[in-house]
Amino acid sequence: MRNQDQRRPPLPVRLTSAEREFYTELRRLVGASGLSAGDLSGTAAGQDAWEDWLNGQSLPPLRALRELGSRLSASGIDARRLASLWARASLPTAYPAEPGRSPVQPRQLPIGTSDFTGRSSELDVLADLARQAAAPGDTTVVVIEGPAASGKTALANHVAHQLSHLFPDGQLWADLRGFGEAGEPVTGGQALRGFLEAIGVAPRELPLDVDEQAALYRRLLTGRHVLIVLDNARDAGQVQRLLPASPGCLVLITTRGLPADLAGAGTHVLRLGPLSDSEVRDVLERRVGTTRLRREPSAVRELGSVTGQRPLALRVVAARAAADPDLSLRALAQELRSAGAGTGDPLAVFAASCAHLGDGAARMFRLLSVAPGPDIGLPAAASLAAIPADQARGALDELVTACLVEEHQPGRFVVYGLPRRYGADLARAAEGAAELDAATRRLLDHYLRGMHAAVSLIYPARPPVPLLPPVAGVHTESFGSAAEALAWCRAERPGVQALVTYAAGQGDFGAYCWQLPWAMAPFLSRGGFTRDYLALQQIAITAATGLGDPLGQGIAHHEYAHACALLAEVGDSGAHLKEALQWFTKAGDQLRAARTLNGMAQLLVQDGEYPAALDRETEALALRSAVGDLDEIAHSEQTLGSIYARLGRHDEAVQHCQRSLDLSRETGSRALTADTLATLGFVHLSLGDYGMAVACYMEVLVIYREIDHKAGTAEALTGLGDAQHARGDVRAARATWRQALAILSDVPSADVQPIQARLDMLG
């Protein structure tokens, strides 16, 4: 094994010092044992997994290390240090805390096209500018300006793929929807949050202030080579906060008109006009072949004329010709001219193409063009049209081939710009209001059932809500794991938010407009999408009030109160909790009333009103005990324990915490177990039982690291350091507090002053 270890590749440069120390020790121990990755494959994983772990590609799970430790111990090798090194290496970081560690490298470009043709001079200019940007110097901003259908997006995507090797730290892409074909334009703040998430900042760690977010974004891009594409921008307000402040980045902005605030020094403008005659020939030749063009040489000029030599219109026409090898190109040009093409309006080209679609594809195009949201997945598209998934796939493939729809990411489809505008006009004329409302209802139902299934798998411990009856033709989403469900929620979140916002102003969709915000509330609140959470719950309150639904109003007010509390708007939170309690009482929902009382108690604790908080939580415990839900009872017991601890009534605090601990271990609630142990650690520290305090905080630390709770980990380390310092172990306290500071320093909105003051006290 020693010879094998010598042949192992160097550890990746991206590792932190803690990770590097862990992997080095892992290699040393395995080498000393004489075991190979194949020998270890009989433990917690196979040979490939062990190869990855030994090569520093990913951290092994704790179970694998425990089994390895037992095996090494049997051979007389002491591996006890490995567990502590793993604990240090596994501290979660969203982006670099140390020089030399790269953040997440985003890869957001849409799928590239292999048949891009033309714009050779523009490509040369962009290549030169990209090389300048990648070299030391200022960030390079290029505005690609041109009318609709001039191929701005296609050019930006093609060149971004071509030049991505010059920007190894990642590529960011945002469709700003500046000209309204796909709904409301994306604000600069919305795009900024999306970029920060793509870079690796957890949503719950984002600063609330958009200027602070912009400062964080620019700081994280410092020293990085990143390519940023801002597609379909309308004005400078959408893009200003998205421009890096340091050299090494290239920004491509596509727009129909140059925003005045972007004109000037440091901005390069590339104006796109019609394609040249030779470029028109190249596009047609790529699609229909040289032989057909030689048979009808004049057709090139005629097809260029009827399309205005605009790339998008020309691609649609070429796709139509390619789909029918027997179609005369001159006849096609004449047909388009008779339909009104050639007048400078490419919509006539889209109309002619749609006229030759199959019925299923034509209907899918119309419905997609009016569906809110930036894009759509295959199951949702099938529900939208109320057809089987295989038929939906066939219709979408036909539309992609016709260049009316793009599959911009695997399995996700989008209708851009002018085709979307034309399709929406067509839908309103051909489908009628009743069918469009029915399609909206199917899409709402699809997302309601999908969100409910996904969030219930990720966050199972919450009272159920009787969902609306299923709608015919709707497909259900299924998830094999919580990770798969979470990925689905992340992909669908923008579309669901756009759909709920749209539905709130349309038709009879009130029940969906409070049930869907309820279904996705835990994902939004725990994921850090706090502003979105608040906005959707405002819609939910309006919808439930309009229906006169007591349960819906109670839930919407309760969730709105939670969002206010997360945003530190405590006064609003208290008012909405009172509203929620009234509605839950009217609805006879004891469990939700108890949760509302618990929320009131938490707010009173924040205000230091401990006796009043005690009264509220005692009421909550009585209701939860009457219902008999052990997990809910455990939560109240823990809250009472923490309140008694703050009041200095330590014996009562221990009694309640012990009851909570017994119940949480019985129900398997790891997070609640950790919360309760943290309260017990505080109580033991207050009583001077420092050994017990250390033991409690150590167990808390293990749990929070296992469940990847960064803030909890930092709090546990702070408490552990307090206990170590109190019993005179200054060296251990300093090391522990430094770990806490390192974690909090990675959280932009965290207050590091208390932990820094502790370290300053030690000198």
Side-chain angles (χ1 to χ4, degrees):
M1 179 60 190
R2 287 187 178 86
N3 291 335
Q4 291 176 350
D5 189 54
Q6 290 171 1
R7 293 197 300 270
R8 289 198 176 279
L11 290 170
V13 296
R14 61 177 170 77
L15 299 179
T16 65
S17 57
E19 289 169 337
R20 187 170 298 279
E21 188 176 5
F22 165 77
Y23 287 117
T24 301
E25 180 67 359
L26 177 64
R27 285 183 169 191
R28 186 189 71 78
L29 292 171
V30 172
S33 71
L35 297 171
S36 67
D39 296 328
L40 294 171
S41 64
T43 56
Q47 181 173 348
D48 289 345
W50 274 104
E51 289 287 358
D52 282 347
W53 297 337
L54 289 166
N55 290 335
Q57 298 303 315
S58 61
L59 279 172
L62 195 55
R63 179 168 61 90
L65 286 190
R66 286 171 180 156
E67 293 185 17
L68 174 64
S70 298
R71 195 161 179 176
L72 294 176
S73 179
S75 302
I77 299 174
D78 185 0
R80 287 176 295 180
R81 182 169 176 262
L82 196 60
S84 63
L85 292 177
W86 178 90
R88 284 186 59 217
S90 65
L91 286 175
T93 54
Y95 44 84
E98 305 173 43
R101 178 172 182 171
S102 300
V104 174
Q105 296 175 339
R107 299 286 185 263
Q108 290 192 316
L109 297 181
I111 295 172
T113 56
S114 59
D115 63 347
F116 183 89
T117 307
R119 303 296 190 195
S120 57
S121 60
E122 290 87 349
L123 288 172
D124 289 341
V125 170
L126 288 168
D128 288 342
L129 291 172
R131 284 189 285 271
Q132 293 176 29
D138 293 333
T139 284
T140 300
V141 178
V142 182
V143 176
I144 303 173
E145 183 188 19
S150 59
K152 302 179 295 295
T153 297
L155 174 62
N157 190 32
H158 180 70
V159 78
H161 278 282
Q162 277 196 327
L163 303 175
S164 60
H165 65 283
L166 296 175
F167 303 93
D169 295 315
Q171 299 89 44
L172 296 167
W173 178 287
D175 178 6
L176 300 178
R177 304 203 299 270
F179 295 90
E181 284 92 352
E184 289 297 314
V186 174
T187 67
Q190 290 171 324
L192 180 61
R193 289 193 294 275
F195 280 178
L196 284 167
E197 291 170 37
I199 293 170
V201 182
R204 62 182 177 273
E205 296 164 4
L206 288 174
L208 294 178
D209 182 77
V210 70
D211 289 328
E212 291 180 16
Q213 292 174 6
L216 172 62
Y217 167 73
R218 288 171 177 145
R219 188 166 73 247
L220 292 176
L221 291 186
T222 300
R224 310 294 174 192
H225 289 76
V226 177
L227 193 156
I228 301 158
V229 182
L230 307 176
D231 188 33
N232 204 16
R234 187 181 189 92
D235 55 51
Q238 286 184 298
V239 303
Q240 289 287 14
R241 290 189 175 95
L242 305 173
L243 303 180
S246 56
C249 296
L250 173 65
V251 183
L252 302 178
I253 302 171
T254 72
T255 183
R256 295 182 192 176
L258 176 65
D261 291 350
L262 288 180
T267 299
H268 304 268
V269 181
L270 200 62
R271 290 186 169 87
L272 299 187
L275 294 174
S276 67
D277 291 343
S278 62
E279 288 174 328
V280 169
R281 171 176 287 278
D282 289 343
V283 171
L284 292 171
E285 191 173 82
R286 176 68 68 93
R287 283 291 186 132
V288 304
T290 305
T291 302
R292 288 179 74 180
L293 294 186
R294 285 176 178 169
R295 284 202 304 262
E296 301 181 83
S298 64
V300 174
R301 183 177 296 275
E302 291 183 44
L303 290 175
S305 174
V306 295
T307 59
Q309 302 192 194
R310 296 190 187 190
L312 177 56
L314 192 62
R315 286 179 61 222
V316 170
V317 169
R320 164 87 188 286
D324 187 354
D326 297 325
L327 176 64
S328 162
L329 299 181
R330 293 188 65 187
L332 175 58
Q334 182 57 45
E335 175 192 324
L336 292 169
R337 197 175 298 282
S338 299
T343 61
D345 183 0
L347 295 183
V349 172
F350 305 144
S353 182
C354 286
H356 290 271
L357 293 172
D359 291 344
R363 179 168 175 266
M364 179 67 80
F365 176 65
R366 294 193 296 269
L367 294 178
L368 287 179
S369 296
V370 293
D375 64 359
I376 195 168
L378 174 60
S383 292
L384 178 71
I387 58 177
D390 59 340
Q391 290 183 25
R393 180 79 237 196
L396 289 165
D397 285 345
E398 185 177 347
L399 292 169
V400 169
T401 300
C403 296
L404 294 170
V405 168
E406 289 192 27
E407 187 173 5
H408 72 124
Q409 299 292 344
R412 301 202 68 82
F413 302 87
V414 61
V415 188
Y416 283 123
L418 286 183
R420 185 181 184 97
R421 192 179 87 190
Y422 172 73
D425 290 341
L426 206 59
R428 285 186 282 270
E431 300 295 333
E435 172 52 25
L436 293 181
D437 278 356
T440 299
R441 188 175 303 278
R442 288 192 296 270
L443 199 56
L444 285 163
D445 199 67
H446 176 89
Y447 285 127
L448 173 62
R449 295 181 198 289
M451 275 292 169
H452 181 252
V455 174
S456 295
L457 186 59
I458 305 166
Y459 309 111
R462 65 172 179 159
V465 162
L467 298 183
L468 290 163
V471 175
V474 171
H475 296 259
T476 56
E477 301 273 2
S478 59
F479 309 101
S481 65
E484 185 181 332
L486 184 60
W488 183 87
C489 288
R490 287 172 175 159
E492 303 296 349
R493 175 183 62 83
V496 175
Q497 290 175 217
L499 178 62
V500 172
T501 302
Y502 168 80
Q506 308 289 325
D508 182 24
F509 303 124
Y512 286 106
C513 288
W514 77 257
Q515 288 203 359
L516 245 176
W518 165 80
M520 64 194 304
F523 165 68
L524 293 175
S525 63
R526 301 188 193 195
F529 302 101
T530 315
R531 292 291 180 188
D532 298 329
Y533 178 32
L534 186 75
L536 283 177
Q537 294 309 321
Q538 181 61 69
I539 292 173
I541 288 174
T542 302
T545 301
L547 293 169
D549 185 332
L551 179 61
Q553 290 179 82
I555 288 173
H557 279 289
H558 188 274
E559 296 292 354
Y560 191 90
H562 187 205
C564 288
L566 292 175
L567 292 167
E569 297 170 4
V570 177
D572 287 345
S573 183
H576 283 278
L577 283 175
K578 290 177 182 177
E579 286 269 0
L581 184 59
Q582 291 174 8
W583 289 115
F584 287 143
T585 302
K586 185 174 182 178
D589 193 324
Q590 288 183 298
L591 197 52
R592 287 192 169 88
R595 287 192 164 197
T596 306
L597 287 165
N598 174 263
M600 291 177 170
Q602 300 287 2
L603 288 182
L604 290 166
V605 167
Q606 290 180 35
D607 290 340
E609 298 180 25
Y610 302 134
L614 198 61
D615 291 341
R616 285 300 193 188
E617 195 59 46
T618 301
E619 291 179 62
L621 178 58
L623 287 176
R624 285 167 160 168
S625 298
V627 174
D629 188 307
L630 297 184
D631 196 59
E632 295 285 330
I633 294 169
H635 273 280
S636 272
E637 294 283 9
Q638 189 275 331
T639 303
L640 286 169
S642 67
I643 296 170
Y644 278 118
R646 286 175 168 84
L647 288 168
R649 294 162 63 173
H650 297 124
D651 290 344
E652 291 156 296
V654 170
Q655 291 171 11
H656 283 285
C657 285
Q658 192 57 56
R659 285 199 287 267
S660 176
L661 204 56
D662 293 342
L663 289 170
S664 64
R665 283 174 169 160
E666 181 180 343
T667 61
S669 177
R670 298 285 284 157
L672 182 56
T673 297
D675 291 344
T676 307
L677 284 166
T679 301
L680 281 172
F682 172 77
V683 171
H684 289 304
L685 182 60
S686 301
L687 292 171
D689 191 346
Y690 305 133
M692 283 297 294
V694 167
C696 287
Y697 283 123
M698 289 294 286
E699 191 172 350
V700 173
L701 201 55
V702 170
I703 295 172
Y704 280 150
R705 283 171 171 166
E706 285 179 356
I707 64 176
D708 195 19
H709 190 332
K710 181 182 289 188
T713 300
E715 290 174 10
L717 286 166
T718 302
L720 176 60
D722 290 344
Q724 291 166 333
H725 183 262
R727 71 176 182 181
D729 194 345
V730 175
R731 182 178 179 182
R734 179 184 284 108
T736 301
W737 286 336
R738 281 177 175 168
Q739 289 185 61
L741 182 62
I743 296 171
L744 292 175
S745 297
D746 268 354
V747 180
S749 56
D751 181 8
V752 300
Q753 189 55 42
I755 195 69
Q756 186 63 62
R758 286 171 167 84
L759 288 166
D760 292 344
M761 173 189 68
L762 298 180

